[in-house]
Amino acid sequence: MIYVMTGLSGDFQKYLELKDSLFLKKSDDLFILGGILGEKGGMDILLDAMTEENIFPIAGKQELAALKFLDYMQSGDKSEDDGMKKEMAEWFRKGGYPIAQGFMALDDDKKEMVIDYLREDFTLVEELSAGEKEFVLAYSGLGDFDPDRELEEYTPEDLTDGDYTPNCYFDDKYIVCGSLADFEPEDDGFEDKIYHSENVVVLNHADNTKACCIRLDDLKEYYGD
């Protein structure tokens, strides 16, 4: 079975509870589709996930920013990097501070492990099959969508902070989005629920910010508190 989770916002307890509710087997795969880091930090989630061979992280906007700024924090002389300092201060204001705070509380070995994990194990988009269906996973969908465009041609911004809307999709495969914060479903029935329409699945949206998960094989949904 293949599961896709998001909406954790750094909450380790939510991560554990939602993961435990899946009763994962060694033959199962869990993709965490962005939303890993956030207001509760998230270092514990990263440290746990990196020990599991069947957990595969996909970066969202916050994870990309964390790699950039945490790596900078670990680098050498910063005396002349005024531009980067301003960018990092802005990231702090937009939710990066608890992430940085949790990172700085780690020992040096774990700091290096976290940075290596963010750099080497996180992907931006995945294409896979489950339950005789095809899926494309990307945190904010496929910005500037074109069904004839190769996935390799999408930029990190297209995949984590793009302009994708759920009325654009492939005819023969699902697009699964981790979060479209500005998207408000017009149909009733999606408050605190994963959105489905045609060949699009949106886990987090304006009416659902809960930690949640979907099993791709049969589209069964799971929710955290």
PDB file of all heavy atoms in Angstrom, residues 134-156:
ATOM      1  N   GLU A 134      -2.397   5.931 -11.841  1.00  0.00           N
ATOM      2  CA  GLU A 134      -1.138   6.655 -11.904  1.00  0.00           C
ATOM      3  C   GLU A 134      -1.274   7.971 -11.135  1.00  0.00           C
ATOM      4  O   GLU A 134      -2.328   8.628 -11.199  1.00  0.00           O
ATOM      5  CB  GLU A 134      -0.744   6.953 -13.361  1.00  0.00           C
ATOM      6  CG  GLU A 134      -0.613   5.713 -14.240  1.00  0.00           C
ATOM      7  CD  GLU A 134       0.526   4.824 -13.804  1.00  0.00           C
ATOM      8  OE1 GLU A 134       1.594   5.366 -13.443  1.00  0.00           O
ATOM      9  OE2 GLU A 134       0.355   3.588 -13.824  1.00  0.00           O
ATOM     10  N   PHE A 135      -0.203   8.372 -10.448  1.00  0.00           N
ATOM     11  CA  PHE A 135      -0.238   9.568  -9.611  1.00  0.00           C
ATOM     12  C   PHE A 135       1.027  10.398  -9.805  1.00  0.00           C
ATOM     13  O   PHE A 135       2.110   9.858 -10.003  1.00  0.00           O
ATOM     14  CB  PHE A 135      -0.335   9.193  -8.129  1.00  0.00           C
ATOM     15  CG  PHE A 135      -1.583   8.440  -7.758  1.00  0.00           C
ATOM     16  CD1 PHE A 135      -1.622   7.042  -7.856  1.00  0.00           C
ATOM     17  CD2 PHE A 135      -2.715   9.116  -7.322  1.00  0.00           C
ATOM     18  CE1 PHE A 135      -2.759   6.344  -7.510  1.00  0.00           C
ATOM     19  CE2 PHE A 135      -3.860   8.412  -6.972  1.00  0.00           C
ATOM     20  CZ  PHE A 135      -3.885   7.034  -7.070  1.00  0.00           C
ATOM     21  N   VAL A 136       0.850  11.717  -9.711  1.00  0.00           N
ATOM     22  CA  VAL A 136       1.968  12.643  -9.627  1.00  0.00           C
ATOM     23  C   VAL A 136       1.821  13.392  -8.309  1.00  0.00           C
ATOM     24  O   VAL A 136       0.765  13.996  -8.047  1.00  0.00           O
ATOM     25  CB  VAL A 136       1.988  13.644 -10.798  1.00  0.00           C
ATOM     26  CG1 VAL A 136       3.079  14.693 -10.597  1.00  0.00           C
ATOM     27  CG2 VAL A 136       2.197  12.912 -12.125  1.00  0.00           C
ATOM     28  N   LEU A 137       2.848  13.351  -7.464  1.00  0.00           N
ATOM     29  CA  LEU A 137       2.812  14.001  -6.160  1.00  0.00           C
ATOM     30  C   LEU A 137       3.695  15.240  -6.179  1.00  0.00           C
ATOM     31  O   LEU A 137       4.875  15.157  -6.522  1.00  0.00           O
ATOM     32  CB  LEU A 137       3.323  13.050  -5.064  1.00  0.00           C
ATOM     33  CG  LEU A 137       2.809  11.608  -5.044  1.00  0.00           C
ATOM     34  CD1 LEU A 137       3.415  10.866  -3.855  1.00  0.00           C
ATOM     35  CD2 LEU A 137       1.315  11.552  -5.005  1.00  0.00           C
ATOM     36  N   ALA A 138       3.135  16.374  -5.799  1.00  0.00           N
ATOM     37  CA  ALA A 138       3.900  17.614  -5.673  1.00  0.00           C
ATOM     38  C   ALA A 138       3.210  18.492  -4.651  1.00  0.00           C
ATOM     39  O   ALA A 138       1.974  18.588  -4.634  1.00  0.00           O
ATOM     40  CB  ALA A 138       4.020  18.349  -7.006  1.00  0.00           C
ATOM     41  N   TYR A 139       3.981  19.155  -3.805  1.00  0.00           N
ATOM     42  CA  TYR A 139       3.416  19.874  -2.663  1.00  0.00           C
ATOM     43  C   TYR A 139       2.325  20.853  -3.078  1.00  0.00           C
ATOM     44  O   TYR A 139       1.229  20.851  -2.517  1.00  0.00           O
ATOM     45  CB  TYR A 139       4.523  20.607  -1.912  1.00  0.00           C
ATOM     46  CG  TYR A 139       4.007  21.443  -0.760  1.00  0.00           C
ATOM     47  CD1 TYR A 139       3.454  20.832   0.364  1.00  0.00           C
ATOM     48  CD2 TYR A 139       4.046  22.836  -0.799  1.00  0.00           C
ATOM     49  CE1 TYR A 139       2.964  21.572   1.426  1.00  0.00           C
ATOM     50  CE2 TYR A 139       3.559  23.593   0.256  1.00  0.00           C
ATOM     51  CZ  TYR A 139       3.021  22.963   1.365  1.00  0.00           C
ATOM     52  OH  TYR A 139       2.535  23.713   2.406  1.00  0.00           O
ATOM     53  N   SER A 140       2.594  21.726  -4.039  1.00  0.00           N
ATOM     54  CA  SER A 140       1.566  22.695  -4.460  1.00  0.00           C
ATOM     55  C   SER A 140       1.091  22.420  -5.875  1.00  0.00           C
ATOM     56  O   SER A 140       0.684  23.330  -6.597  1.00  0.00           O
ATOM     57  CB  SER A 140       2.100  24.130  -4.342  1.00  0.00           C
ATOM     58  OG  SER A 140       3.177  24.353  -5.227  1.00  0.00           O
ATOM     59  N   GLY A 141       1.136  21.154  -6.274  1.00  0.00           N
ATOM     60  CA  GLY A 141       0.687  20.811  -7.614  1.00  0.00           C
ATOM     61  C   GLY A 141       1.725  21.187  -8.655  1.00  0.00           C
ATOM     62  O   GLY A 141       2.908  21.336  -8.357  1.00  0.00           O
ATOM     63  N   LEU A 142       1.276  21.329  -9.875  1.00  0.00           N
ATOM     64  CA  LEU A 142       2.169  21.631 -10.990  1.00  0.00           C
ATOM     65  C   LEU A 142       1.869  23.034 -11.494  1.00  0.00           C
ATOM     66  O   LEU A 142       0.984  23.243 -12.328  1.00  0.00           O
ATOM     67  CB  LEU A 142       1.993  20.604 -12.113  1.00  0.00           C
ATOM     68  CG  LEU A 142       2.179  19.137 -11.713  1.00  0.00           C
ATOM     69  CD1 LEU A 142       1.912  18.212 -12.896  1.00  0.00           C
ATOM     70  CD2 LEU A 142       3.581  18.888 -11.156  1.00  0.00           C
ATOM     71  N   GLY A 143       2.610  24.024 -10.985  1.00  0.00           N
ATOM     72  CA  GLY A 143       2.408  25.401 -11.394  1.00  0.00           C
ATOM     73  C   GLY A 143       2.710  25.590 -12.867  1.00  0.00           C
ATOM     74  O   GLY A 143       3.593  24.936 -13.412  1.00  0.00           O
ATOM     75  N   ASP A 144       1.969  26.495 -13.495  1.00  0.00           N
ATOM     76  CA  ASP A 144       2.110  26.715 -14.939  1.00  0.00           C
ATOM     77  C   ASP A 144       1.903  25.393 -15.673  1.00  0.00           C
ATOM     78  O   ASP A 144       2.688  24.994 -16.533  1.00  0.00           O
ATOM     79  CB  ASP A 144       3.482  27.323 -15.261  1.00  0.00           C
ATOM     80  CG  ASP A 144       3.540  27.935 -16.655  1.00  0.00           C
ATOM     81  OD1 ASP A 144       2.458  28.182 -17.236  1.00  0.00           O
ATOM     82  OD2 ASP A 144       4.653  28.134 -17.167  1.00  0.00           O
ATOM     83  N   PHE A 145       0.811  24.737 -15.333  1.00  0.00           N
ATOM     84  CA  PHE A 145       0.544  23.374 -15.803  1.00  0.00           C
ATOM     85  C   PHE A 145       0.385  23.288 -17.310  1.00  0.00           C
ATOM     86  O   PHE A 145      -0.279  24.103 -17.942  1.00  0.00           O
ATOM     87  CB  PHE A 145      -0.726  22.840 -15.128  1.00  0.00           C
ATOM     88  CG  PHE A 145      -1.127  21.473 -15.597  1.00  0.00           C
ATOM     89  CD1 PHE A 145      -0.439  20.357 -15.147  1.00  0.00           C
ATOM     90  CD2 PHE A 145      -2.179  21.300 -16.484  1.00  0.00           C
ATOM     91  CE1 PHE A 145      -0.797  19.084 -15.570  1.00  0.00           C
ATOM     92  CE2 PHE A 145      -2.541  20.034 -16.901  1.00  0.00           C
ATOM     93  CZ  PHE A 145      -1.853  18.921 -16.454  1.00  0.00           C
ATOM     94  N   ASP A 146       1.001  22.277 -17.886  1.00  0.00           N
ATOM     95  CA  ASP A 146       0.845  21.914 -19.291  1.00  0.00           C
ATOM     96  C   ASP A 146       0.945  20.394 -19.346  1.00  0.00           C
ATOM     97  O   ASP A 146       1.960  19.827 -18.936  1.00  0.00           O
ATOM     98  CB  ASP A 146       1.955  22.556 -20.138  1.00  0.00           C
ATOM     99  CG  ASP A 146       1.800  22.251 -21.620  1.00  0.00           C
ATOM    100  OD1 ASP A 146       1.170  21.229 -21.968  1.00  0.00           O
ATOM    101  OD2 ASP A 146       2.330  23.025 -22.446  1.00  0.00           O
ATOM    102  N   PRO A 147      -0.095  19.707 -19.815  1.00  0.00           N
ATOM    103  CA  PRO A 147      -0.064  18.242 -19.813  1.00  0.00           C
ATOM    104  C   PRO A 147       1.062  17.651 -20.649  1.00  0.00           C
ATOM    105  O   PRO A 147       1.433  16.486 -20.459  1.00  0.00           O
ATOM    106  CB  PRO A 147      -1.442  17.851 -20.367  1.00  0.00           C
ATOM    107  CG  PRO A 147      -1.917  19.064 -21.096  1.00  0.00           C
ATOM    108  CD  PRO A 147      -1.351  20.237 -20.351  1.00  0.00           C
ATOM    109  N   ASP A 148       1.610  18.434 -21.566  1.00  0.00           N
ATOM    110  CA  ASP A 148       2.700  17.948 -22.407  1.00  0.00           C
ATOM    111  C   ASP A 148       4.084  18.299 -21.842  1.00  0.00           C
ATOM    112  O   ASP A 148       5.107  17.931 -22.432  1.00  0.00           O
ATOM    113  CB  ASP A 148       2.573  18.523 -23.823  1.00  0.00           C
ATOM    114  CG  ASP A 148       1.298  18.056 -24.512  1.00  0.00           C
ATOM    115  OD1 ASP A 148       0.924  16.881 -24.325  1.00  0.00           O
ATOM    116  OD2 ASP A 148       0.669  18.867 -25.217  1.00  0.00           O
ATOM    117  N   ARG A 149       4.115  19.012 -20.744  1.00  0.00           N
ATOM    118  CA  ARG A 149       5.380  19.416 -20.143  1.00  0.00           C
ATOM    119  C   ARG A 149       5.956  18.270 -19.318  1.00  0.00           C
ATOM    120  O   ARG A 149       5.242  17.644 -18.533  1.00  0.00           O
ATOM    121  CB  ARG A 149       5.137  20.644 -19.259  1.00  0.00           C
ATOM    122  CG  ARG A 149       6.368  21.312 -18.675  1.00  0.00           C
ATOM    123  CD  ARG A 149       5.926  22.505 -17.835  1.00  0.00           C
ATOM    124  NE  ARG A 149       7.047  23.209 -17.224  1.00  0.00           N
ATOM    125  CZ  ARG A 149       6.911  24.156 -16.303  1.00  0.00           C
ATOM    126  NH1 ARG A 149       5.692  24.524 -15.902  1.00  0.00           N
ATOM    127  NH2 ARG A 149       7.985  24.743 -15.784  1.00  0.00           N
ATOM    128  N   GLU A 150       7.234  17.986 -19.493  1.00  0.00           N
ATOM    129  CA  GLU A 150       7.878  16.939 -18.718  1.00  0.00           C
ATOM    130  C   GLU A 150       8.006  17.373 -17.255  1.00  0.00           C
ATOM    131  O   GLU A 150       8.227  18.554 -16.959  1.00  0.00           O
ATOM    132  CB  GLU A 150       9.276  16.635 -19.276  1.00  0.00           C
ATOM    133  CG  GLU A 150       9.272  16.095 -20.697  1.00  0.00           C
ATOM    134  CD  GLU A 150       8.658  14.718 -20.795  1.00  0.00           C
ATOM    135  OE1 GLU A 150       8.713  13.965 -19.793  1.00  0.00           O
ATOM    136  OE2 GLU A 150       8.115  14.383 -21.866  1.00  0.00           O
ATOM    137  N   LEU A 151       7.887  16.423 -16.332  1.00  0.00           N
ATOM    138  CA  LEU A 151       7.975  16.765 -14.911  1.00  0.00           C
ATOM    139  C   LEU A 151       9.321  17.398 -14.573  1.00  0.00           C
ATOM    140  O   LEU A 151       9.405  18.262 -13.702  1.00  0.00           O
ATOM    141  CB  LEU A 151       7.757  15.520 -14.054  1.00  0.00           C
ATOM    142  CG  LEU A 151       6.336  14.925 -14.078  1.00  0.00           C
ATOM    143  CD1 LEU A 151       6.278  13.704 -13.167  1.00  0.00           C
ATOM    144  CD2 LEU A 151       5.293  15.948 -13.675  1.00  0.00           C
ATOM    145  N   GLU A 152      10.374  16.983 -15.265  1.00  0.00           N
ATOM    146  CA  GLU A 152      11.708  17.524 -15.017  1.00  0.00           C
ATOM    147  C   GLU A 152      11.811  19.004 -15.379  1.00  0.00           C
ATOM    148  O   GLU A 152      12.744  19.692 -14.954  1.00  0.00           O
ATOM    149  CB  GLU A 152      12.760  16.733 -15.801  1.00  0.00           C
ATOM    150  CG  GLU A 152      12.930  15.292 -15.359  1.00  0.00           C
ATOM    151  CD  GLU A 152      11.846  14.365 -15.904  1.00  0.00           C
ATOM    152  OE1 GLU A 152      11.032  14.821 -16.743  1.00  0.00           O
ATOM    153  OE2 GLU A 152      11.812  13.189 -15.489  1.00  0.00           O
ATOM    154  N   GLU A 153      10.851  19.502 -16.149  1.00  0.00           N
ATOM    155  CA  GLU A 153      10.883  20.895 -16.587  1.00  0.00           C
ATOM    156  C   GLU A 153      10.242  21.844 -15.571  1.00  0.00           C
ATOM    157  O   GLU A 153      10.369  23.060 -15.699  1.00  0.00           O
ATOM    158  CB  GLU A 153      10.181  21.040 -17.943  1.00  0.00           C
ATOM    159  CG  GLU A 153      10.865  20.276 -19.070  1.00  0.00           C
ATOM    160  CD  GLU A 153      10.085  20.332 -20.368  1.00  0.00           C
ATOM    161  OE1 GLU A 153       8.986  20.924 -20.393  1.00  0.00           O
ATOM    162  OE2 GLU A 153      10.577  19.780 -21.369  1.00  0.00           O
ATOM    163  N   TYR A 154       9.541  21.298 -14.580  1.00  0.00           N
ATOM    164  CA  TYR A 154       8.933  22.151 -13.558  1.00  0.00           C
ATOM    165  C   TYR A 154      10.009  22.620 -12.579  1.00  0.00           C
ATOM    166  O   TYR A 154      10.857  21.859 -12.157  1.00  0.00           O
ATOM    167  CB  TYR A 154       7.822  21.396 -12.812  1.00  0.00           C
ATOM    168  CG  TYR A 154       6.570  21.212 -13.639  1.00  0.00           C
ATOM    169  CD1 TYR A 154       6.408  20.082 -14.439  1.00  0.00           C
ATOM    170  CD2 TYR A 154       5.573  22.175 -13.645  1.00  0.00           C
ATOM    171  CE1 TYR A 154       5.264  19.912 -15.215  1.00  0.00           C
ATOM    172  CE2 TYR A 154       4.417  22.006 -14.414  1.00  0.00           C
ATOM    173  CZ  TYR A 154       4.275  20.881 -15.191  1.00  0.00           C
ATOM    174  OH  TYR A 154       3.157  20.712 -15.959  1.00  0.00           O
ATOM    175  N   THR A 155       9.940  23.893 -12.200  1.00  0.00           N
ATOM    176  CA  THR A 155      10.921  24.476 -11.294  1.00  0.00           C
ATOM    177  C   THR A 155      10.527  24.199  -9.842  1.00  0.00           C
ATOM    178  O   THR A 155       9.366  23.870  -9.556  1.00  0.00           O
ATOM    179  CB  THR A 155      11.017  25.989 -11.499  1.00  0.00           C
ATOM    180  OG1 THR A 155       9.769  26.597 -11.075  1.00  0.00           O
ATOM    181  CG2 THR A 155      11.281  26.340 -12.960  1.00  0.00           C
ATOM    182  N   PRO A 156      11.466  24.355  -8.912  1.00  0.00           N
ATOM    183  CA  PRO A 156      11.095  24.222  -7.499  1.00  0.00           C
ATOM    184  C   PRO A 156       9.936  25.140  -7.103  1.00  0.00           C
ATOM    185  O   PRO A 156       9.072  24.743  -6.323  1.00  0.00           O
ATOM    186  CB  PRO A 156      12.390  24.594  -6.767  1.00  0.00           C
ATOM    187  CG  PRO A 156      13.464  24.172  -7.710  1.00  0.00           C
ATOM    188  CD  PRO A 156      12.930  24.493  -9.080  1.00  0.00           C
TER     189      PRO A 156
END
